[in-house]
Amino acid sequence: MLRMLLSVTTLSFILASHALAAGTAPTEAQLKRGKLLFTQCQACHQLKPGAPSVLGPNLAGLMGRKAATVSGFRYSPALRKANLTWDATTLDKWLQRPAALVPGNTMAFAGLPKADDRASLIAWLAAETAAPKK
Ligand code: HEC
């Protein structure tokens, strides 16, 4: 039973990461799910460029950005030293369990255990935090 559960989880992880890696456009359902999941983040994070960092750093322009580089936000030494660049792969690990990827970081969030939830949230975040098209 556990074995079956594990392989289902692994499969959905592979499917989700494949969709992101291949740059496949996220589905409506994924974006809706991602938006809903972000309600767990919005107490601490803003997405609009120029909005002040609150408990957590502003996430505007997140994809491709080096970790711990929003000026004016006091990051933990752990995240500053982590030498990470945010993309679908690093965000997936971070959101699964921040404390495992960067021990000693100060983001008070346990993590999202489901791979498809993380993929939905990352797809939604990527769209929401991209620079507005002119
Ligand atoms: C209780 C407040 C809180 C919640 C809830 C929270 N965060 Fe954070 N987040 C932080 C803090 C604080 C940091 C900075 C951590 C550090 O410096 O170690 C951070 C850092 C980050 C970073 C790295 C940003 C950078 O500039 O390098 C990302 C990405 C992120 N959070 C995404 C999320 C997402 C997505 C969620 C929801 C699933 C979430 N956070 C939930 C407080 C929070």
Side-chain angles (χ1 to χ4, degrees), residues 58-134:
N58 185 317
L59 299 181
L62 182 66
M63 299 308 258
R65 187 169 100 187
K66 274 205 75 180
T69 50
V70 171
S71 64
F73 184 79
R74 285 183 53 187
Y75 290 95
S76 64
L79 191 60
R80 276 191 268 123
K81 278 188 245 147
N83 193 28
L84 288 168
T85 298
W86 297 122
D87 58 23
T89 308
T90 50
L91 282 171
D92 185 68
K93 291 192 184 129
W94 175 248
L95 295 177
Q96 180 174 18
R97 214 159 90 73
L101 182 67
V102 184
N105 85 81
T106 51
M107 171 156 133
F109 183 77
L112 293 170
K114 290 189 186 158
D116 51 351
D117 276 354
R118 296 194 301 275
S120 298
L121 179 56
I122 293 165
W124 184 81
L125 265 178
E128 288 296 307
T129 59
K133 289 186 189 78
K134 300 253 164 69

